[in-house]
Amino acid sequence: MIDLGTIGAAIGAGLAAIGAGLGIGKIGSSAMEAIGRQPEATGKIRTNMIIIAALIEGVALFAVVVCFLAL
């Protein structure tokens, strides 16, 4: 039988993954819009986009690990 802790951990891990996907999608769309407006700043925009995406992935991974440790 599945207990509520297992269900909660699964829902938490899923929400963390969905949140990370939405965040990275927003970063990508904003970066493409910024590059379209100022093509000469492509390098700086791309660098900042990669750093922020890595930070979001780190937070999402941390959230998933915490959900599984809650089991």
Side-chain angles (χ1 to χ4, degrees):
M1 176 162 266
I2 299 175
D3 61 347
L4 289 178
T6 304
I7 294 172
I11 290 173
L15 288 175
I18 290 171
L22 290 174
I24 291 175
K26 177 67 174 156
I27 290 170
S29 68
S30 297
M32 293 300 110
E33 183 179 341
I35 289 171
R37 291 176 186 260
Q38 289 187 325
E40 66 275 3
T42 300
K44 287 180 72 173
I45 293 169
R46 184 181 303 131
T47 302
N48 288 335
M49 180 183 71
I50 291 171
I51 290 170
I52 297 300
L55 291 173
I56 288 175
E57 284 293 325
V59 169
L61 181 63
F62 182 69
V64 169
V65 169
V66 167
C67 286
F68 286 132
L69 287 176
L71 294 176

